[in-house]
Amino acid sequence: MEIQDYIAAGKIASTVRENARKKDHVGSTLSEICNSIEREIEQKGGKCAFPVNVSLNEIAAHYTAEPNDQKVVTESDLLKIDLGVQVNGYIADTAVTVCYDPNYDYLVQAAEAALREAISIIHVGTKSSDVGKIIENTTKQMGGIPIANLSGHSLERYTIHAGKSVPNIWSIGSFTFQATEAYACEPFVTTSDGSGFVREGKIRNIFSLATRKKTKDDYANRLLDFIWDKFNMLPFALRWLIPEWSEKDARSLLDKLIQYKVVRSYPILVEVNGQRVAQAEHTFIPQQNGVTVTTI
Ligand code: MN
Ligand code: MN
């Protein structure tokens, strides 16, 4: 594990996240927000570990801007900005929620408090079920409920979801945190009218390579090589294939690669009762008597 690369990625991610928190996004399109955050990551010497997620209101996660996405953030929106930075494949994954409707500020505060409380109990040997419990309790004390079927995760080089889940509710079965691994903790909080679960939506605009196996289609294989070369096995967006491919060609080739099961697509995740969802996220490495939060 290259701790220096995790730290370097985290430093860029936290600066970019704090700039995104301070900015007034009302009136901006989702394209403008994604493009400017991704440009800032690169200007600071990082690479994007995945397309910036800009999930509005009841969309909890996994929405990124389409090419020229003209959807505008309004004065009543709650926007989750989830960004990833990688340095030599070592990833910092972090998120902030900006909220322009004061009625929902408590959801943002609950997600932030749950994340803070969770991190305060983590060290080498902490049980993941205790983290789920403290996130659930903190969320409920603040008038929200946690999303049970979204969770944090262990990270590996070039792998965002490396197998272990860091739960947002108390749950049976757990692992203990190790100093040899990085993890992301990411409480998602909805209102008391929410179901506390997300379902898959129809939109799919985040993709990743599933395998490097070649197809029988030479033109599609050229896109395959391009994806591997640029993004490795990490997620990407259609807008990242342009201008090397025209939007039309990129869409049809991507559809082909999905049919061949060489590329997978990720659906947006939507709160089942249509309630708004807030999120906070940090990446950290456990230590003997505490934790190094790389994205602090
Ligand atoms: Mn994230
Ligand atoms: Mn994450």
Side-chain angles (χ1 to χ4, degrees):
M1 184 171 77
E2 290 303 322
I3 194 146
Q4 286 322 315
D5 289 339
Y6 271 122
I7 300 280
K11 199 170 173 188
I12 296 166
S14 97
T15 307
V16 174
R17 182 199 63 230
E18 288 311 301
N19 288 340
R21 189 199 304 273
K22 280 179 228 147
K23 206 163 172 182
D24 181 2
H25 298 283
V26 172
S28 297
T29 66
L30 296 183
S31 268
E32 288 167 342
I33 296 169
C34 287
N35 290 337
S36 97
I37 291 174
E38 289 168 2
R39 208 178 309 128
E40 193 182 346
I41 288 170
E42 283 166 7
Q43 279 166 355
K44 290 186 160 49
K47 287 184 176 174
C48 295
F50 51 82
V52 172
N53 287 208
V54 280
S55 305
L56 281 166
N57 303 321
E58 74 280 4
I59 301 173
H62 292 177
Y63 185 91
T64 195
E66 293 287 348
N68 293 311
D69 199 318
Q70 291 305 299
K71 174 86 182 156
V72 172
V73 178
T74 74
E75 273 164 354
S76 62
D77 280 332
L78 176 152
L79 173 65
K80 292 156 293 291
I81 299 174
D82 190 334
L83 60 101
V85 177
Q86 57 110 340
V87 171
N88 296 319
Y90 295 95
I91 297 162
D93 184 2
T94 189
V96 62
T97 301
V98 292
C99 181
Y100 301 108
D101 180 341
N103 292 316
Y104 294 93
D105 281 345
Y106 78 100
L107 291 182
V108 179
Q109 282 150 18
E112 297 271 347
L115 178 58
R116 214 165 37 237
E117 293 295 319
I119 283 172
S120 77
I121 66 160
I122 296 173
H123 50 79
V124 170
T126 302
K127 288 195 300 191
S128 61
S129 57
D130 288 336
V131 171
K133 187 158 67 180
I134 203 164
I135 289 173
E136 181 171 3
N137 289 344
T138 307
T139 302
K140 288 178 174 169
Q141 275 160 24
M142 296 186 69
I145 56 173
I147 303 287
N149 61 342
L150 287 174
S151 58
H153 45 92
S154 54
L155 294 150
E156 277 171 17
R157 194 176 186 199
Y158 290 111
T159 307
I160 297 167
H161 292 96
K164 291 174 191 160
S165 291
V166 181
N168 289 327
I169 54 159
W170 184 86
S171 48
I172 299 172
S174 79
F175 66 89
T176 55
F177 288 94
Q178 303 301 326
T180 50
E181 206 164 32
Y183 306 85
C185 181
E186 48 184 315
F188 287 83
V189 183
T190 190
T191 75
S192 54
D193 293 326
S195 69
F197 289 88
V198 289
R199 62 171 174 83
E200 295 187 351
K202 285 202 184 105
I203 298 171
R204 291 170 178 261
N205 57 23
I206 297 174
F207 309 91
S208 73
L209 218 52
T211 163
R212 288 199 64 203
K213 260 189 229 149
K214 291 276 189 286
T215 71
K216 288 170 203 149
D217 182 322
D218 285 344
Y219 196 37
N221 288 341
R222 271 174 56 194
L223 178 59
L224 194 66
D225 288 338
F226 177 84
I227 292 168
W228 168 254
D229 186 46
K230 286 249 172 146
F231 318 124
N232 197 291
M233 301 299 277
L234 289 167
F236 60 91
L238 181 69
R239 49 196 170 74
W240 288 1
L241 307 179
I242 300 164
E244 277 82 356
W245 272 267
S246 70
E247 183 175 340
K248 192 164 158 269
D249 280 6
R251 276 191 199 279
S252 72
L253 289 174
L254 210 48
D255 282 344
K256 266 190 195 156
L257 292 176
I258 291 167
Q259 275 170 25
Y260 289 133
K261 296 196 183 352
V262 167
V263 165
R264 61 168 68 97
S265 62
Y266 299 90
I268 60 167
L269 300 170
V270 186
E271 208 286 323
V272 167
N273 289 356
Q275 290 294 300
R276 293 179 180 211
V277 180
Q279 175 201 16
E281 180 175 23
H282 275 310
T283 297
F284 62 88
I285 299 164
Q287 306 295 346
Q288 288 307 323
N289 42 22
V291 64
T292 301
V293 180
T294 64
T295 53
I296 203 79

mmCIF file of all heavy atoms in Angstrom, residues 146-171:
data_model
loop_
_atom_site.group_PDB
_atom_site.id
_atom_site.type_symbol
_atom_site.label_atom_id
_atom_site.label_comp_id
_atom_site.label_asym_id
_atom_site.label_seq_id
_atom_site.Cartn_x
_atom_site.Cartn_y
_atom_site.Cartn_z
ATOM 1 N N PRO A 146 -31.140 6.472 8.151
ATOM 2 C CA PRO A 146 -30.055 6.105 7.244
ATOM 3 C C PRO A 146 -30.578 5.250 6.081
ATOM 4 O O PRO A 146 -31.588 4.565 6.224
ATOM 5 C CB PRO A 146 -29.125 5.276 8.127
ATOM 6 C CG PRO A 146 -30.025 4.677 9.163
ATOM 7 C CD PRO A 146 -31.146 5.665 9.381
ATOM 8 N N ILE A 147 -29.894 5.326 4.951
ATOM 9 C CA ILE A 147 -30.204 4.436 3.828
ATOM 10 C C ILE A 147 -29.474 3.110 4.082
ATOM 11 O O ILE A 147 -28.244 3.055 4.111
ATOM 12 C CB ILE A 147 -29.742 5.038 2.485
ATOM 13 C CG1 ILE A 147 -30.377 6.411 2.236
ATOM 14 C CG2 ILE A 147 -30.020 4.067 1.341
ATOM 15 C CD1 ILE A 147 -31.835 6.400 1.871
ATOM 16 N N ALA A 148 -30.273 2.065 4.269
ATOM 17 C CA ALA A 148 -29.715 0.780 4.703
ATOM 18 C C ALA A 148 -28.952 0.061 3.590
ATOM 19 O O ALA A 148 -27.986 -0.655 3.867
ATOM 20 C CB ALA A 148 -30.839 -0.119 5.226
ATOM 21 N N ASN A 149 -29.396 0.231 2.344
ATOM 22 C CA ASN A 149 -28.737 -0.524 1.264
ATOM 23 C C ASN A 149 -27.733 0.306 0.462
ATOM 24 O O ASN A 149 -27.455 0.013 -0.694
ATOM 25 C CB ASN A 149 -29.765 -1.210 0.351
ATOM 26 C CG ASN A 149 -30.708 -0.236 -0.353
ATOM 27 O OD1 ASN A 149 -30.841 0.917 0.056
ATOM 28 N ND2 ASN A 149 -31.358 -0.701 -1.403
ATOM 29 N N LEU A 150 -27.174 1.318 1.115
ATOM 30 C CA LEU A 150 -25.977 1.981 0.585
ATOM 31 C C LEU A 150 -24.927 1.909 1.672
ATOM 32 O O LEU A 150 -25.255 2.008 2.855
ATOM 33 C CB LEU A 150 -26.266 3.444 0.244
ATOM 34 C CG LEU A 150 -27.112 3.691 -1.002
ATOM 35 C CD1 LEU A 150 -27.431 5.173 -1.132
ATOM 36 C CD2 LEU A 150 -26.408 3.179 -2.252
ATOM 37 N N SER A 151 -23.674 1.758 1.285
ATOM 38 C CA SER A 151 -22.650 1.614 2.309
ATOM 39 C C SER A 151 -21.313 2.141 1.819
ATOM 40 O O SER A 151 -21.121 2.372 0.624
ATOM 41 C CB SER A 151 -22.515 0.146 2.708
ATOM 42 O OG SER A 151 -22.195 -0.615 1.577
ATOM 43 N N GLY A 152 -20.404 2.321 2.778
ATOM 44 C CA GLY A 152 -19.013 2.610 2.440
ATOM 45 C C GLY A 152 -18.348 1.314 1.994
ATOM 46 O O GLY A 152 -19.009 0.276 1.851
ATOM 47 N N HIS A 153 -17.030 1.360 1.821
ATOM 48 C CA HIS A 153 -16.368 0.230 1.163
ATOM 49 C C HIS A 153 -14.873 0.267 1.372
ATOM 50 O O HIS A 153 -14.290 1.347 1.585
ATOM 51 C CB HIS A 153 -16.668 0.278 -0.342
ATOM 52 C CG HIS A 153 -16.519 1.663 -0.913
ATOM 53 N ND1 HIS A 153 -15.354 2.115 -1.460
ATOM 54 C CD2 HIS A 153 -17.380 2.730 -0.955
ATOM 55 C CE1 HIS A 153 -15.511 3.381 -1.848
ATOM 56 N NE2 HIS A 153 -16.725 3.789 -1.537
ATOM 57 N N SER A 154 -14.243 -0.898 1.281
ATOM 58 C CA SER A 154 -12.791 -0.923 1.242
ATOM 59 C C SER A 154 -12.341 -0.508 -0.156
ATOM 60 O O SER A 154 -13.105 -0.598 -1.115
ATOM 61 C CB SER A 154 -12.270 -2.321 1.576
ATOM 62 O OG SER A 154 -12.851 -3.292 0.731
ATOM 63 N N LEU A 155 -11.103 -0.012 -0.234
ATOM 64 C CA LEU A 155 -10.535 0.453 -1.506
ATOM 65 C C LEU A 155 -9.263 -0.329 -1.791
ATOM 66 O O LEU A 155 -8.536 -0.701 -0.860
ATOM 67 C CB LEU A 155 -10.174 1.938 -1.399
ATOM 68 C CG LEU A 155 -11.319 2.938 -1.230
ATOM 69 C CD1 LEU A 155 -10.844 4.143 -0.436
ATOM 70 C CD2 LEU A 155 -11.858 3.379 -2.575
ATOM 71 N N GLU A 156 -8.999 -0.562 -3.061
ATOM 72 C CA GLU A 156 -7.702 -1.109 -3.450
ATOM 73 C C GLU A 156 -7.194 -0.318 -4.633
ATOM 74 O O GLU A 156 -7.927 0.477 -5.218
ATOM 75 C CB GLU A 156 -7.823 -2.596 -3.830
ATOM 76 C CG GLU A 156 -7.795 -3.505 -2.622
ATOM 77 C CD GLU A 156 -8.137 -4.943 -2.959
ATOM 78 O OE1 GLU A 156 -8.075 -5.311 -4.145
ATOM 79 O OE2 GLU A 156 -8.486 -5.684 -2.022
ATOM 80 N N ARG A 157 -5.955 -0.570 -5.011
ATOM 81 C CA ARG A 157 -5.389 0.164 -6.143
ATOM 82 C C ARG A 157 -6.255 -0.055 -7.386
ATOM 83 O O ARG A 157 -6.535 -1.199 -7.759
ATOM 84 C CB ARG A 157 -3.960 -0.321 -6.389
ATOM 85 C CG ARG A 157 -3.207 0.602 -7.288
ATOM 86 C CD ARG A 157 -1.772 0.167 -7.459
ATOM 87 N NE ARG A 157 -1.071 1.187 -8.232
ATOM 88 C CZ ARG A 157 0.068 0.969 -8.874
ATOM 89 N NH1 ARG A 157 0.648 -0.217 -8.811
ATOM 90 N NH2 ARG A 157 0.627 1.942 -9.561
ATOM 91 N N TYR A 158 -6.683 1.026 -8.003
ATOM 92 C CA TYR A 158 -7.561 1.007 -9.187
ATOM 93 C C TYR A 158 -8.909 0.317 -8.934
ATOM 94 O O TYR A 158 -9.587 -0.050 -9.886
ATOM 95 C CB TYR A 158 -6.870 0.361 -10.402
ATOM 96 C CG TYR A 158 -5.755 1.208 -10.965
ATOM 97 C CD1 TYR A 158 -4.426 0.806 -10.855
ATOM 98 C CD2 TYR A 158 -6.032 2.421 -11.589
ATOM 99 C CE1 TYR A 158 -3.393 1.584 -11.353
ATOM 100 C CE2 TYR A 158 -5.007 3.207 -12.102
ATOM 101 C CZ TYR A 158 -3.697 2.786 -11.985
ATOM 102 O OH TYR A 158 -2.680 3.558 -12.490
ATOM 103 N N THR A 159 -9.285 0.121 -7.678
ATOM 104 C CA THR A 159 -10.568 -0.516 -7.365
ATOM 105 C C THR A 159 -11.287 0.298 -6.297
ATOM 106 O O THR A 159 -10.764 0.466 -5.187
ATOM 107 C CB THR A 159 -10.353 -1.958 -6.843
ATOM 108 O OG1 THR A 159 -9.540 -2.658 -7.779
ATOM 109 C CG2 THR A 159 -11.675 -2.686 -6.674
ATOM 110 N N ILE A 160 -12.480 0.790 -6.643
ATOM 111 C CA ILE A 160 -13.210 1.621 -5.681
ATOM 112 C C ILE A 160 -13.948 0.772 -4.664
ATOM 113 O O ILE A 160 -13.923 1.056 -3.474
ATOM 114 C CB ILE A 160 -14.183 2.562 -6.411
ATOM 115 C CG1 ILE A 160 -13.389 3.515 -7.306
ATOM 116 C CG2 ILE A 160 -15.014 3.381 -5.415
ATOM 117 C CD1 ILE A 160 -14.245 4.257 -8.284
ATOM 118 N N HIS A 161 -14.629 -0.275 -5.139
ATOM 119 C CA HIS A 161 -15.356 -1.154 -4.215
ATOM 120 C C HIS A 161 -14.620 -2.479 -4.140
ATOM 121 O O HIS A 161 -14.786 -3.337 -4.984
ATOM 122 C CB HIS A 161 -16.806 -1.333 -4.659
ATOM 123 C CG HIS A 161 -17.602 -0.064 -4.526
ATOM 124 N ND1 HIS A 161 -17.797 0.800 -5.564
ATOM 125 C CD2 HIS A 161 -18.212 0.506 -3.460
ATOM 126 C CE1 HIS A 161 -18.512 1.845 -5.142
ATOM 127 N NE2 HIS A 161 -18.766 1.696 -3.868
ATOM 128 N N ALA A 162 -13.770 -2.601 -3.110
ATOM 129 C CA ALA A 162 -12.827 -3.724 -3.071
ATOM 130 C C ALA A 162 -13.348 -4.924 -2.279
ATOM 131 O O ALA A 162 -12.589 -5.841 -1.987
ATOM 132 C CB ALA A 162 -11.489 -3.255 -2.532
ATOM 133 N N GLY A 163 -14.622 -4.931 -1.914
ATOM 134 C CA GLY A 163 -15.180 -6.158 -1.335
ATOM 135 C C GLY A 163 -15.833 -6.017 0.015
ATOM 136 O O GLY A 163 -16.839 -6.645 0.282
ATOM 137 N N LYS A 164 -15.242 -5.176 0.892
ATOM 138 C CA LYS A 164 -15.849 -5.034 2.224
ATOM 139 C C LYS A 164 -16.808 -3.848 2.248
ATOM 140 O O LYS A 164 -16.518 -2.812 1.655
ATOM 141 C CB LYS A 164 -14.761 -4.834 3.282
ATOM 142 C CG LYS A 164 -13.935 -6.096 3.485
ATOM 143 C CD LYS A 164 -12.776 -5.862 4.411
ATOM 144 C CE LYS A 164 -11.832 -7.057 4.363
ATOM 145 N NZ LYS A 164 -10.489 -6.700 4.846
ATOM 146 N N SER A 165 -17.930 -4.004 2.955
ATOM 147 C CA SER A 165 -18.917 -2.928 3.061
ATOM 148 C C SER A 165 -18.873 -2.301 4.444
ATOM 149 O O SER A 165 -18.905 -3.013 5.447
ATOM 150 C CB SER A 165 -20.327 -3.477 2.820
ATOM 151 O OG SER A 165 -20.453 -3.840 1.467
ATOM 152 N N VAL A 166 -18.811 -0.989 4.482
ATOM 153 C CA VAL A 166 -18.858 -0.240 5.751
ATOM 154 C C VAL A 166 -20.313 0.212 5.918
ATOM 155 O O VAL A 166 -20.766 1.116 5.226
ATOM 156 C CB VAL A 166 -17.904 0.977 5.703
ATOM 157 C CG1 VAL A 166 -17.940 1.748 7.019
ATOM 158 C CG2 VAL A 166 -16.477 0.529 5.368
ATOM 159 N N PRO A 167 -21.058 -0.448 6.812
ATOM 160 C CA PRO A 167 -22.511 -0.278 6.829
ATOM 161 C C PRO A 167 -22.968 1.057 7.408
ATOM 162 O O PRO A 167 -22.266 1.676 8.206
ATOM 163 C CB PRO A 167 -22.973 -1.433 7.725
ATOM 164 C CG PRO A 167 -21.825 -1.683 8.631
ATOM 165 C CD PRO A 167 -20.579 -1.383 7.835
ATOM 166 N N ASN A 168 -24.161 1.458 7.005
ATOM 167 C CA ASN A 168 -24.791 2.666 7.542
ATOM 168 C C ASN A 168 -25.886 2.363 8.555
ATOM 169 O O ASN A 168 -26.567 3.273 9.029
ATOM 170 C CB ASN A 168 -25.351 3.518 6.397
ATOM 171 C CG ASN A 168 -24.247 4.161 5.583
ATOM 172 O OD1 ASN A 168 -23.197 4.495 6.116
ATOM 173 N ND2 ASN A 168 -24.471 4.313 4.290
ATOM 174 N N ILE A 169 -26.077 1.094 8.860
ATOM 175 C CA ILE A 169 -27.018 0.676 9.908
ATOM 176 C C ILE A 169 -26.361 -0.447 10.708
ATOM 177 O O ILE A 169 -25.416 -1.087 10.235
ATOM 178 C CB ILE A 169 -28.353 0.133 9.331
ATOM 179 C CG1 ILE A 169 -28.067 -0.993 8.324
ATOM 180 C CG2 ILE A 169 -29.161 1.233 8.680
ATOM 181 C CD1 ILE A 169 -29.242 -1.903 8.090
ATOM 182 N N TRP A 170 -26.909 -0.705 11.877
ATOM 183 C CA TRP A 170 -26.434 -1.863 12.623
ATOM 184 C C TRP A 170 -26.794 -3.103 11.820
ATOM 185 O O TRP A 170 -27.908 -3.218 11.308
ATOM 186 C CB TRP A 170 -27.094 -1.951 14.000
ATOM 187 C CG TRP A 170 -26.511 -3.093 14.762
ATOM 188 C CD1 TRP A 170 -25.387 -3.061 15.522
ATOM 189 C CD2 TRP A 170 -26.983 -4.441 14.779
ATOM 190 N NE1 TRP A 170 -25.119 -4.307 16.014
ATOM 191 C CE2 TRP A 170 -26.083 -5.182 15.572
ATOM 192 C CE3 TRP A 170 -28.065 -5.103 14.198
ATOM 193 C CZ2 TRP A 170 -26.234 -6.545 15.798
ATOM 194 C CZ3 TRP A 170 -28.224 -6.472 14.417
ATOM 195 C CH2 TRP A 170 -27.317 -7.173 15.221
ATOM 196 N N SER A 171 -25.848 -4.025 11.652
ATOM 197 C CA SER A 171 -26.146 -5.222 10.867
ATOM 198 C C SER A 171 -25.324 -6.394 11.370
ATOM 199 O O SER A 171 -24.246 -6.218 11.947
ATOM 200 C CB SER A 171 -25.869 -4.963 9.392
ATOM 201 O OG SER A 171 -24.601 -4.373 9.239
#
